[in-house]
Amino acid sequence: MDDVTDIYREYGDARLPPGQRETDDVPVLSKSGTPSWTPETWSFDVWGAVDDECTFDIDEFRALPSTTQRQDFHCVTGWSTFDCEFTGVSFPTIAARAGLSDDAVHVMFHALDGYTTDLPLSECLRDEVLFAYELDGEPLPEPHGGPLRVVTPHKYAYKGAKWVDGVEFLTETERGYWERRGYSASANPWEEERYG
Ligand SMILES: Nc1nc2c(c(=O)[nH]1)N[C@H]1C(S)=C(S)[C@@H](COP(=O)(O)O)O[C@H]1N2
Ligand SMILES: [Mo]
């Protein structure tokens, strides 16, 4: 297992970002409850500024090269959970499958509950940004985003879309659900970038 919990060393050497409190559990936080889905109809789509738009069903997605990492999780409302073990497919793996256009600069994640969140492409092309389908060796529980969610240990957790079913590559900046509602677009926990 790769251990990347030291991502905080990039940002000032404090594992617990300023203004955060460590919790033992992983609370559930969703804008509107857990959406339903079925394995038969679920698909993950990659589109926009790419060479090859692609679609994966659930078995195809789980057959992609995967990684398991121990990560910390920081919610903008003030709690952090340490040492979550996520298994999934890295963002760079998906980007390489699709092939990025030269003018791709930004990314929008789309989810089954209508949630969206955005990041600059450069902030996504890191091995720690995972499309995760297991938590602590078990299938990712649905309240936490199963069958598939994004995790972004270098950002507040609203950058990690639960129930993710699509990633869109953009040639211009656009804003996601919370980013349009006053939360920070950059969301660096060590700089306390909570509000935009
Ligand atoms: N699709 C979707 N993803 C989402 C959210 C949401 O409402 N819908 N909430 C975000 C927020 S604000 C946080 S803190 C984390 C919470 O993840 P958890 O419920 O697994 O703790 O999911 C993020 N991803
Ligand atoms: Mo959050």
Side-chain angles (χ1 to χ4, degrees), residues 29 74-77 79 156-158 178:
L29 200 70
H74 310 294
C75 175
V76 70
T77 60
W79 49 268
Y156 287 120
Y158 63 88
W178 283 123

Side-chain angles (χ1 to χ4, degrees), residues 133-184:
Y133 47 76
E134 286 181 13
L135 171 59
D136 296 331
E138 302 288 337
L140 182 66
E142 293 195 10
H144 287 303
L148 189 70
R149 77 169 303 161
V150 181
V151 287
T152 55
H154 58 325
K155 299 291 177 186
Y156 287 120
Y158 63 88
K159 292 294 183 178
K162 302 195 283 188
W163 313 295
V164 67
D165 68 346
V167 54
E168 178 183 11
F169 289 87
L170 300 167
T171 57
E172 290 172 8
T173 299
E174 290 180 27
R175 293 296 175 226
Y177 181 87
W178 283 123
E179 292 85 358
R180 287 197 302 268
R181 288 166 176 77
Y183 283 93
S184 167

Side-chain angles (χ1 to χ4, degrees), residues 17-122:
Q20 296 291 108
R21 186 181 312 108
E22 193 188 345
T23 57
D24 290 335
D25 55 344
V26 191
V28 170
L29 200 70
S30 312
K31 70 173 178 63
S32 52
T34 299
S36 58
W37 66 285
T38 59
E40 295 75 32
T41 56
W42 186 91
S43 76
F44 178 81
D45 300 307
V46 184
W47 75 94
V50 293
D51 300 332
D52 296 303
E53 297 193 334
C54 34
T55 297
F56 303 87
D57 68 23
I58 196 107
D59 293 330
E60 290 168 336
F61 198 90
R62 288 182 182 140
L64 291 167
S66 67
T67 172
T68 297
Q69 298 176 4
R70 203 143 47 82
Q71 300 190 351
D72 298 343
F73 192 94
H74 310 294
C75 175
V76 70
T77 60
W79 49 268
S80 292
T81 305
F82 287 172
D83 294 323
C84 302
E85 192 185 296
F86 288 108
T87 299
V89 181
S90 77
F91 189 98
T93 299
I94 295 295
R97 285 284 161 140
L100 301 185
S101 302
D102 290 341
D103 56 356
V105 293
H106 210 77
V107 173
M108 188 71 74
F109 297 92
H110 296 264
L112 292 174
D113 61 342
Y115 189 78
T116 52
T117 186
D118 70 281
L119 277 174
L121 176 60
S122 59

